[in-house]
Amino acid sequence: MPGRDAGTRDGTALDAAVAALAAARSVTVLCHVQPDADTVGSGLALALAVHRRGVPVRVSFAEPAELPASLRTLPGTEHLVPPAEVPDEVDLLIVVDCGARSRLGALADRLPGARSTLVIDHHRANDGFGTVDLIDESAASTTELITRLLDAWGIPIDAAIAHCLFAGLVTDTGSFRWARPGSHALAERLLATGIDGAEITRVLLDTHPFAWLPMLSKVLSTAVVVPSAAGVGLVYALVRAADTHEVGPEEVESVIDVIRTTTEAGIAAVFKEARGHNDRWTVSLRSRDSAPGTADGVDVAAVASGFGGGGHRFAAGYTTYGSAESVVRALVTALG
């Protein structure tokens, strides 16, 4: 959308966001379904800041029923409430890291009851659905935008808030493998508050229950390479619902980071079968450049948008329906 990035740079959207926060007498922060560290870290960092101002604040997400284990050490979890405790009406509703209303799941029905809505996001596909939209696709993470907002609002970033912000930054940059200009400077600033970046990263990215190993073994046995796809090759794998009963959503989501390491493919996909809905699949896509400086990686956000999804150039996803064979065939056909 023309001009929306300019809004964050020239301060227009940032000033409006600060004004909305300063005027709010009650706040709800909504994270996306199947929450990751960027959406929860953003939500909890905001909650800690709002609470300091003496304003009632709640943070929630529609599903799953519990916070993923790796996110339970984030400060501010006392502000998390189940969906049933999210009020129908609120002074200010803040949506973090959601590229579309649909990513709110069942909690999307809280949007009409808000006196004003602030959308904070870094997904390219987000056209803005708030009273105020703070959207910048150049940001490495939504927590980067939260940092800008807190600075503009005059909220000091202490260790608790820094922990939440760092969690989103380190995960959305893949431990800085996909860092953007300013990412390392922000990390240095957050680490200077005294947080243990190495331990935060280990908990978020390098810790899995033992059940993850047999699940991963089954999934990897389904891996297939299609060398001709998109001219760069596709590697894909299937995660059957029956393979996931002893692991959580975050373990399932981590499979793509193993699949994407395949040398012979510039695109990776993981098809995840929904429990109780054998014809519904969520699909994670990743791509990469062929070499440093080439900028020739496939735009998987464009691919995902063709299926009603979205995301970033090198990381995107969508939901689709059908048999395993049909959903794989549809993606291969779309890639050409």
Side-chain angles (χ1 to χ4, degrees):
M1 176 173 288
R4 73 181 184 192
D5 289 350
T8 61
R9 286 195 299 266
D10 67 21
T12 303
L14 203 54
D15 290 345
V18 169
L21 279 164
R25 295 298 173 261
S26 61
V27 176
T28 294
V29 186
L30 297 183
C31 305
H32 62 66
V33 294
Q34 308 302 331
D36 59 13
D38 195 24
T39 191
V40 175
S42 295
L44 296 182
L46 276 175
L48 290 167
V50 169
H51 180 71
R52 286 183 190 172
R53 293 296 183 101
V55 176
V57 58
R58 297 175 176 87
V59 183
S60 191
F61 52 87
E63 55 183 89
E66 295 183 350
L67 188 67
S70 66
L71 303 181
R72 294 172 192 168
T73 58
L74 292 180
T77 54
E78 64 272 16
H79 298 296
L80 279 169
V81 300
E85 294 182 22
V86 176
D88 293 329
E89 297 182 355
V90 70
D91 208 23
L92 176 63
L93 179 68
I94 306 176
V95 179
V96 289
D97 200 43
C98 293
R101 292 177 181 85
S102 60
R103 292 287 284 151
L104 291 172
L107 283 173
D109 68 2
R110 299 307 199 276
L111 290 168
R115 180 170 298 178
S116 61
T117 304
L118 169 59
V119 174
I120 308 174
D121 188 32
H122 71 132
H123 291 94
R124 184 175 63 187
N126 196 327
D127 291 328
F129 52 93
T131 310
V132 178
D133 296 314
L134 183 59
I135 303 170
D136 187 353
E137 66 187 63
S138 72
S141 66
T142 297
T143 56
E144 179 183 325
L145 295 178
I146 300 299
T147 304
R148 298 184 204 172
L149 179 57
L150 295 180
D151 285 345
W153 196 18
I155 300 292
I157 295 177
D158 62 7
I161 291 178
H163 185 150
C164 294
L165 299 174
F166 185 82
L169 179 65
V170 75
T171 52
D172 262 33
T173 60
S175 289
F176 302 97
R177 285 174 291 179
W178 310 300
R180 298 186 180 185
S183 296
H184 289 92
L186 176 55
E188 183 176 3
R189 176 186 173 187
L190 298 175
L191 290 169
T193 65
I195 60 173
D196 188 341
E199 182 61 14
I200 293 171
T201 302
R202 184 193 67 78
V203 170
L204 291 171
L205 297 174
D206 295 329
T207 303
H208 299 285
F210 178 78
W212 181 71
L213 295 177
M215 183 274 290
L216 186 62
S217 176
K218 292 179 181 178
V219 171
L220 293 182
S221 70
T222 71
V224 175
V225 173
V226 184
S228 61
V232 297
L234 164 71
V235 59
Y236 70 85
L238 303 174
V239 180
R240 296 287 188 175
D243 300 331
T244 67
H245 290 303
E246 296 187 24
V247 297
E250 58 187 326
E251 273 66 58
V252 177
E253 290 301 317
S254 72
V255 172
I256 188 65
D257 291 320
V258 179
I259 300 298
R260 63 178 292 276
T261 62
T262 304
T263 301
E264 295 86 349
I267 304 171
V270 174
F271 296 84
K272 295 158 287 185
E273 185 181 44
R275 295 178 185 176
H277 300 276
N278 291 346
D279 66 337
R280 189 177 79 188
W281 303 79
T282 56
V283 186
S284 295
L285 299 175
R286 299 291 186 270
S287 67
R288 56 177 170 78
D289 292 332
S290 60
T294 57
D296 58 356
V298 172
D299 185 347
V300 290
V303 176
S305 68
F307 292 96
H312 306 287
R313 178 182 175 186
F314 295 123
Y318 61 94
T319 298
T320 189
Y321 297 83
S323 65
E325 294 76 13
S326 67
V327 297
V328 169
R329 183 168 58 249
L331 176 60
V332 173
T333 299
L335 292 174

